[in-house]
Amino acid sequence: MATEMQLRKLDKAFSHLDADGSGFVERQDLNNLGVRLLANFGTAHDAPKAQRIAEDFALFWQELAKALDVDQDERLTRQEWRQGMTSAFVHGDAFDRSFRPGALAVLRLADTDDDGRVSRDEFAAMQRAFGTPAGEINLAFDRLDADEDGYLTIDELMVGVRQFYIGADETAPGNWFFGTV
């Protein structure tokens, strides 16, 4: 069973993917997120980082469909998302196997100079692709930037991603990854 906070975070994640408001998450929604990310960073579709995003998002969709698509209609309802993410990712071991690679590819794309850190501007470009409200992007960055150095390392961000998507600790900074929940 997921906590209320975990369900709110899962609902927010569902909304990030269901950017067209159809009420479903489909393979095309992940493709569209990839396109938005590449556009926000000015990355060509044939660049190595773009190919990594495409490959890892395809793997993630396969895992999502296998674990969550109960009626096998190749689209996920909010209920399928909640139940499946809870069993496979929150309580199961699918996060590291199928979610982490795609998240890591996104974070590496955001690290435009490949220095292992994401600046506030890079973080904002990434967040805009996910549809995070502008007023919440700086709030999220500040919550995640525990040492207040103006950067988030890829490792710090991965901890935040894990806390957001599967964490139960209501005080974890990663709960703020996409702003208020």
Side-chain angles (χ1 to χ4, degrees), residues 20-177:
D20 63 3
S22 69
F24 301 98
V25 170
E26 302 167 280
R27 177 188 310 262
Q28 188 60 45
D29 292 315
L30 278 172
N31 293 341
N32 292 344
L33 174 59
V35 168
R36 290 191 307 270
L37 284 160
L38 296 177
N40 282 8
F41 289 104
T43 304
H45 293 276
D46 59 351
K49 285 184 178 183
Q51 292 174 355
R52 182 86 260 153
I53 293 266
E55 291 168 10
D56 290 340
F57 278 18
L59 169 67
F60 181 52
W61 175 255
Q62 289 171 1
E63 290 291 321
L64 280 177
K66 184 170 64 175
L68 282 64
D69 190 11
V70 176
D71 58 8
Q72 299 179 349
D73 63 354
E74 297 188 28
R75 60 186 193 173
L76 306 173
T77 65
R78 185 175 300 272
Q79 190 61 29
E80 285 175 319
W81 174 265
R82 277 180 152 200
Q83 290 173 341
M85 288 293 288
T86 299
S87 64
F89 293 86
V90 174
H91 298 303
D93 63 354
F95 182 89
D96 286 323
R97 181 182 65 253
S98 61
F99 192 90
R100 188 178 191 284
L104 194 54
V106 169
L107 298 176
R108 288 185 175 144
L109 176 68
D111 177 15
T112 58
D113 58 5
D114 297 319
D115 67 353
R117 305 180 310 167
V118 173
S119 70
R120 186 177 295 272
D121 289 341
E122 291 167 328
F123 184 78
M126 177 187 69
Q127 290 287 344
R128 285 191 299 274
F130 281 91
T132 302
E136 296 192 17
I137 293 172
N138 282 330
L139 173 67
F141 187 93
D142 291 340
R143 291 286 183 137
L144 294 167
D145 187 16
D147 61 5
E148 299 178 359
D149 68 351
Y151 293 93
L152 300 168
T153 67
I154 299 297
D155 290 339
E156 288 172 323
L157 285 165
M158 276 310 303
V159 168
V161 167
R162 177 180 285 282
Q163 290 171 343
F164 181 84
Y165 284 97
I166 65 174
D169 178 358
E170 295 202 11
T171 64
N175 293 333
W176 294 86
F177 199 91

